[in-house]
Amino acid sequence: MSVTTSVNALDGRAGLLADRDLHFEVEQFYFREAELLDDGRYADWLDLLADDLDYWMPTRTNRLRRQQAFAVAARGEAAFYDETKESLAWRIRRFDSGMAWAEDPPSRTRHLVTNVVARHVDPDEHPGFAEDDLLVKSAFLVYSNRLAREENVFAGGRTDVLRRTPDGLLVARRTILLDQNVLQSKNISTFF
């Protein structure tokens, strides 16, 4: 297939839902990611992330209905995570060093991913990405248990941009929004 043909084949797909096969591929990607996180295989999880990753989890506040536009912190304001692939790699190296006391002994987690909706990226809305890349929204529930009595449940949604590469999909952008505005956990050392 020539470059012209492949570009023309993609014309007009921006914003359209992924077809059944592509949707299945995306779900399998997320299920594999959840498996790696639950098994504590963080170095392998890093391989699913693009080198230019933007991993962001803003805080949120309770607001009146008329103020909902201000309920989620904007870029540059408070965030639970505002990370790059390198900063996540640093966190993982710290886990392995034995110096991450909040995770020694490590938590047991279960990541459930659901309500996956995948669309072709609109390059006008996401500069630097192509229609072959995917804008994916999903819901998650993460259960975490540590020691005898530490239990936490995190619920929320993610908006990802998955980049198509010759080796498969990679997470290039991830915005995580927790449903909780006040975390009951002693720490937030799990990945979403």
Side-chain angles (χ1 to χ4, degrees):
M1 181 183 285
S2 71
V3 174
T4 306
T5 305
S6 60
V7 170
N8 290 339
L10 296 176
D11 284 346
R13 293 194 330 187
L16 294 180
L17 285 171
D19 65 25
R20 178 185 56 209
D21 293 338
L22 191 51
H23 191 272
F24 180 77
E25 179 184 4
V26 169
E27 284 185 326
Q28 293 305 304
F29 175 83
Y30 283 142
F31 297 158
R32 175 75 175 135
E33 179 185 27
E35 177 184 42
L36 292 173
L37 290 171
D38 292 340
D39 290 347
R41 296 173 53 195
Y42 302 119
D44 293 334
W45 174 65
L46 282 174
D47 291 339
L48 301 179
L49 310 178
D51 290 339
D52 63 341
L53 174 73
D54 178 34
Y55 186 92
W56 184 53
M57 181 192 290
T59 59
R60 69 186 316 164
T61 57
N62 289 330
R63 299 283 183 142
L64 297 173
R65 189 173 302 278
R66 67 179 177 271
Q67 297 175 323
Q68 283 303 298
F70 304 108
V72 177
R75 285 289 185 167
E77 296 180 351
F80 294 114
Y81 287 107
D82 191 356
E83 306 286 341
T84 64
K85 184 175 182 177
E86 183 54 38
S87 64
L88 290 174
W90 180 86
R91 285 178 182 267
I92 290 167
R93 286 191 299 272
R94 189 167 170 268
F95 281 166
D96 294 339
S97 73
M99 298 304 292
W101 303 112
E103 279 300 313
D104 197 13
S107 299
R108 291 171 298 279
T109 62
R110 184 67 53 210
H111 288 72
L112 306 175
V113 181
T114 187
N115 297 13
V116 176
V117 178
R119 296 182 181 282
H120 291 276
V121 165
D122 183 342
D124 293 334
E125 293 179 16
H126 300 277
F129 293 96
E131 289 182 7
D132 201 29
D133 299 324
L134 298 164
L135 179 66
V136 184
K137 293 187 176 191
S138 62
F140 66 83
L141 186 70
V142 177
Y143 169 81
S144 176
N145 177 278
R146 184 173 174 274
L147 301 174
R149 293 188 177 98
E150 289 183 29
E151 282 189 313
N152 295 291
V153 176
F154 303 97
R158 301 184 305 194
T159 301
D160 293 344
V161 176
L162 301 182
R163 180 179 291 136
R164 170 74 61 197
T165 71
D167 296 324
L169 297 171
L170 294 177
V171 179
R173 305 285 178 269
R174 175 163 286 169
T175 300
I176 306 144
L177 189 57
L178 291 175
D179 290 336
Q180 303 99 309
N181 70 315
V182 176
L183 299 183
Q184 302 298 318
S185 62
K186 294 179 182 177
N187 65 62
I188 186 164
S189 56
T190 198
F191 300 115
F192 298 90

